[in-house]
Amino acid sequence: AMAMAMTFVVLKEFYLERRVPYFFDYVRKYTDLPFAVMLKEEGGKYISNRFLRASDLGLKIINGEWKTVLFDSKKRNFVVPPGSIGFRWADKAKWNLKLQDSLSGSEIEPMLSFSEQGDNDGWVPVRFPVFEPGGAGEKTGMVPVKRITRGNGEILVTTVYALLAAHVGLDRGHGGDCAKGYDDPKPFTPAWQESTTGVPKGDVVRVAREFAENAEKTGGKSMILLGSGTNHWFHSDMLYRAYLNLTNLCGCPGVTGGGTKLVLPSRGGADGVVDRL
């Protein structure tokens, strides 16, 4: 809950209110945040479906059904960057993270959200599950979309970044179940986590800011140390994903002095760092 609330703060202050160049450059190159995700209509709203693939665009390329797609803000079109699983075997020369169009070799600038004027085909409501101590529920978030015409049909897509922002409840001015601020007890705000963890909301906001500000100034040298206790809970992978969301947004994994380290007790009884995630 704390990691999700810290993610709320980082997205709000360092992505929406102020665009930190280092963070944006990092997530465009090293994460899936820019990649296009297909939406599926269900019950008058939408749910996230799967990644858009090169084969969905009718591109006749090797392993096209295994190559994910993003939108290039330079040429204003969809491109297939290198590095996805479809390049692992037949296209080994393109098994890399270069910001290039794998077909033309031209440089690209992945777009994180279709909210820019000229690249936006509207905003639609997306349903998200919410799991709280009182039980499971759902919430609605608004995401910007791009419409792709294929034959007689239409594919509606958004980005991973847009889905993340909508899921945590950030207000982007288009409605949905948005939090009014840090004091609003809606998921996933600092006030929301306080009732579960007992950690004061103000402390969460301060630590999130310090974590992100340090990462901005040092190029990602912010780190989370965690023990194996989180593995002793159901759905423990979700706990790790919450931590990794935070470190990825701040450009920490892969940086010396940054990322997430797992600390386990050694045989002698003292804790020792055994791995970095």
Side-chain angles (χ1 to χ4, degrees):
M2 284 182 59
M4 290 296 293
M6 290 175 68
T7 296
F8 184 99
V9 175
V10 171
L11 282 171
K12 182 177 184 296
E13 297 189 10
F14 296 85
Y15 277 81
L16 295 183
E17 296 177 353
R18 185 167 66 86
R19 298 165 62 95
V20 176
Y22 172 70
F23 293 172
F24 274 74
D25 291 342
Y26 184 96
V27 298
R28 285 190 182 115
K29 186 172 184 178
Y30 296 115
T31 76
D32 64 359
L33 290 184
F35 282 90
V37 178
M38 301 171 66
L39 299 178
K40 177 182 178 182
E41 188 171 6
E42 186 178 274
K45 296 180 182 179
Y46 292 87
I47 58 173
S48 60
N49 190 4
R50 61 170 174 80
F51 282 113
L52 183 70
R53 307 165 182 164
S55 57
D56 295 317
L57 301 179
L59 297 175
K60 305 300 181 181
I61 58 178
I62 299 174
N63 296 332
E65 67 276 16
W66 293 93
K67 293 178 177 177
T68 47
V69 177
L70 52 76
F71 195 81
D72 178 19
S73 62
K74 287 186 174 182
K75 294 186 176 180
R76 293 295 194 270
N77 60 7
F78 286 98
V79 298
V80 182
S84 59
I85 193 64
F87 292 96
R88 180 63 179 86
W89 289 278
D91 293 337
K92 286 185 178 180
K94 297 177 181 178
W95 179 241
N96 58 63
L97 294 179
K98 294 179 180 179
L99 294 183
Q100 296 178 345
D101 181 343
S102 64
L103 300 181
S104 68
S106 61
E107 292 186 359
I108 63 174
E109 186 177 279
M111 180 174 285
L112 285 182
S113 176
F114 298 123
S115 56
E116 304 293 335
Q117 187 174 5
D119 297 309
N120 173 253
D121 291 331
W123 293 70
V124 302
V126 175
R127 294 164 49 203
F128 297 98
V130 177
F131 301 98
E132 299 185 271
E138 70 172 44
K139 61 181 294 186
T140 299
M142 299 295 291
V143 300
V145 297
K146 196 77 175 171
R147 301 178 188 274
I148 304 172
T149 301
R150 288 288 296 144
N152 296 325
E154 182 181 73
I155 302 176
L156 203 63
V157 300
T158 188
T159 63
V160 176
Y161 170 81
L163 288 169
L164 176 61
H167 191 184
V168 300
L170 290 175
D171 186 359
R172 303 183 70 184
H174 294 271
D177 296 327
C178 303
K180 295 181 175 62
Y182 297 152
D183 294 332
D184 190 341
K186 289 183 179 179
F188 294 91
T189 65
W192 166 82
Q193 67 78 42
E194 184 173 329
S195 63
T196 300
T197 67
V199 177
K201 56 193 174 187
D203 290 351
V204 171
V205 174
R206 178 177 60 82
V207 173
R209 284 174 179 161
E210 291 176 349
F211 188 91
E213 287 172 354
N214 180 73
E216 178 185 2
K217 293 175 181 177
T218 62
K221 295 181 185 296
S222 289
M223 182 183 294
I224 295 177
L225 294 175
L226 65 152
S228 62
T230 52
N231 288 328
H232 301 166
W233 298 88
F234 290 114
H235 309 299
S236 61
D237 62 314
M238 293 293 102
L239 300 176
Y240 277 104
R241 290 175 190 272
Y243 303 142
L244 296 177
N245 263 346
L246 181 60
T247 55
N248 283 335
L249 287 170
C250 294
C252 303
V255 176
T256 301
T260 308
K261 283 186 179 291
L262 179 62
V263 181
L264 296 176
S266 65
R267 291 187 178 181
D271 286 345
V273 177
V274 297
D275 193 16
R276 184 172 72 188
L277 303 180

